[in-house]
Amino acid sequence: MLRALILGITGQDGSYLAELLLAHGYEVHGVVRRTSTLDRSRLRHLYEDSTIYKKRLFLHYADLDDPTTLRRVLTNVRPREIYHLAGQSHVGMSFEIPESTCELTAMGTLRLLEMIRDLPEAPKLFHASSSEIFGRPTQSPQDEQTRHAPVNPYGCAKAFATQMVAIYRESIGLFACNGIMYNHESPRRGENFVTRKICRAAVAIKLGRETELVLGDTSAQRDWGDARDYVMGMWLTLQHHTAEDFIFATGRLHSVQDVVEQAFKTVKLNWQDHVRTDERLLRRTEPLRLVGNPEKARRLLGWEPKTSFEELISEMTHAELSALSAV
Ligand code: NDP
Ligand code: GDR
């Protein structure tokens, strides 16, 4: 049986990837951290299913910060594929906690590469890299050859990790790949990312539970796609016959303002009556023109983003409506 290990299984992407791998007949192992509550809401439907949990899905306590435990999991599980999605994933927060962001994202990835190198049979590795490595690029759209020029601690840590993955592939011979992913969203997105924050607030205002939505820079633009398309890209990357890096993106830019208008339109509210900006929510620096060219993934992997921006934001808003109406 195919056996995969997911670091970051409790996150947005990890939970969708676990579903995808289980559907493809894998035995799935995931690393979880000790937390004060056991509420792993994105995975609950899987571990409450007695035909899956502890039969084809296994969770192990470990931490990117704790090499001994991680090494033990690798030795015991002996995965054929590793999907490394774990880390501090909030860009704005990386200005508040730069050291731990870099420790986990940069050094954590290097330590993982060292552990894999020491295994008798090195598994394939997918690393979740980010468009943030490009910062403020002079070339738009970006591709796999675009120069790294990060503008925040998160992007800098991802650039280090991305380069290390390429070095271990080219000089040590590991089957190690970077998926350079642009923003991707879903109803499982963390609540402090802007799409989820907007969809949730639009619904809370509609239901009369909140009155306003306060945002930072609404002119900021991103290339937003659907997380379920991107986890498919992760899997396809490791099924390709050679280890390579791929851009996963839609190739289309939208602004935060576009998200606001789509979400408020979905709940039939006038956004002008409820949305304001506060400069305390502005980032110290914003990346610019981050839009990706997914041509290589399309050509070599047959990968296509399937969901439009409008469909994605409406789906997220409807999901909030179901969730908030139920409580
Ligand atoms: P999430 O923030 O939803 O998930 C992050 C995961 O990492 C969680 O499972 C979290 O566990 C885990 N984690 C954090 N710190 C540690 C640690 N010290 N040891 C072990 N696990 C840890 O992120 P996403 O699912 O959105 O993204 C997945 C990866 O892809 C991230 O690395 C992110 O930076 C990258 N990425 C994401 C993009 C996006 O738009 N979503 C775009 C480009 C890259 P816990 O639940 O315990 O906190
Ligand atoms: P990002 O996503 O920083 O691109 O990182 P986020 O949703 O946090 O911000 C997108 C843009 O919206 C602007 N913005 C706000 N952002 C937040 N969070 N909250 C606000 O109130 C707000 N108002 C405006 C931001 O300034 C920014 O310009 C995501 C993460 O998933 C990373 O892990 C990943 O690597 C990148 O996408 C690609």
Side-chain angles (χ1 to χ4, degrees):
M1 183 185 254
L2 284 167
R3 192 179 298 138
L5 176 67
I6 305 176
L7 310 181
I9 195 169
T10 55
Q12 169 189 253
D13 292 3
S15 62
Y16 285 122
L17 181 64
E19 288 170 7
L20 183 143
L21 295 177
L22 287 166
H24 279 81
Y26 280 69
E27 180 180 295
V28 177
H29 294 256
V31 160
V32 294
R33 299 191 286 173
R34 198 210 81 85
T35 46
S36 60
T37 69
L38 284 178
D39 181 31
R40 302 193 178 104
S41 57
R42 295 176 178 120
L43 289 181
R44 192 181 301 130
H45 60 295
L46 295 178
Y47 67 69
E48 284 180 355
D49 184 335
S50 61
T51 65
I52 292 179
Y53 188 48
K54 296 196 174 165
K55 299 207 171 57
R56 294 174 51 221
L57 171 68
F58 302 85
L59 300 179
H60 308 267
Y61 280 103
D63 199 299
L64 277 181
D65 258 355
D66 185 343
T68 315
T69 51
L70 206 47
R71 195 182 295 276
R72 187 174 302 132
V73 172
L74 285 175
T75 311
N76 291 343
V77 171
R78 290 195 289 131
R80 177 112 45 106
E81 297 173 6
I82 300 180
Y83 296 86
H84 171 34
L85 319 179
Q88 193 297 94
S89 70
H90 199 280
V91 173
M93 198 70 81
S94 78
F95 284 106
E96 309 306 316
I97 48 169
E99 285 186 42
S100 61
T101 300
C102 291
E103 187 56 40
L104 288 179
T105 300
M107 291 307 292
T109 304
L110 174 56
R111 280 195 290 267
L112 179 65
L113 286 162
E114 278 291 281
M115 287 175 212
I116 292 174
R117 174 191 186 175
D118 286 344
L119 291 172
E121 268 182 89
K124 294 180 180 180
L125 174 72
F126 175 89
H127 168 242
S129 179
S130 163
S131 50
E132 287 286 332
I133 64 175
F134 299 129
R136 294 183 163 195
T138 47
Q139 173 193 344
S140 245
Q142 298 83 48
D143 61 27
E144 292 79 3
Q145 265 66 54
T146 303
R147 195 171 71 84
H148 298 181
V151 293
N152 50 59
Y154 169 89
C156 200
K158 283 285 185 195
F160 174 97
T162 304
Q163 198 60 34
M164 277 297 173
V165 166
I167 288 170
Y168 274 65
R169 175 176 67 227
E170 281 150 29
S171 60
I172 313 268
L174 295 187
F175 194 109
C177 311
N178 292 298
I180 305 169
M181 300 184 291
Y182 287 63
N183 300 53
H184 47 272
E185 320 294 308
S186 73
R188 294 187 198 163
R189 187 54 144 152
E191 285 174 24
N192 57 355
F193 294 93
V194 78
T195 53
R196 179 89 192 274
K197 178 176 169 179
I198 293 169
C199 297
R200 197 171 175 78
V203 168
I205 293 167
K206 179 74 180 178
L207 296 177
R209 303 204 188 149
E210 286 170 22
T211 52
E212 66 169 5
L213 165 62
V214 186
L215 292 169
D217 183 0
T218 52
S219 70
Q221 293 181 308
R222 289 291 187 280
D223 176 334
W224 274 293
D226 184 328
R228 289 148 290 192
D229 292 339
Y230 290 58
V231 302
M232 174 58 85
M234 296 175 189
W235 179 70
L236 289 171
T237 299
L238 292 196
Q239 311 317 306
H240 191 55
H241 54 90
T242 50
E244 301 199 27
D245 295 343
F246 292 97
I247 295 266
F248 293 105
T250 69
R252 290 195 194 86
L253 271 179
H254 289 274
S255 64
V256 172
Q257 180 62 28
D258 294 336
V259 181
V260 168
E261 291 179 20
Q262 185 63 35
F264 279 75
K265 188 169 117 191
T266 305
V267 291
K268 301 188 174 59
L269 280 180
N270 189 3
W271 66 267
Q272 287 94 334
D273 297 336
H274 305 284
V275 179
R276 71 177 173 87
T277 56
D278 186 330
E279 63 179 26
R280 284 172 295 185
L281 294 180
L282 296 178
R283 300 244 170 111
R284 286 168 197 272
T285 48
E286 274 287 349
L288 288 176
R289 298 177 296 277
L290 290 185
V291 56
N293 176 1
E295 176 50 31
K296 183 181 172 190
R298 196 168 279 150
R299 191 165 33 86
L300 296 186
L301 305 179
W303 182 82
E304 291 278 353
K306 295 201 180 72
T307 316
S308 73
F309 170 82
E310 292 75 15
E311 286 166 342
L312 177 64
I313 301 302
S314 326
E315 186 206 350
M316 289 176 69
T317 310
H318 282 297
E320 294 299 338
L321 201 49
S322 307
L324 286 185
S325 305
V327 288

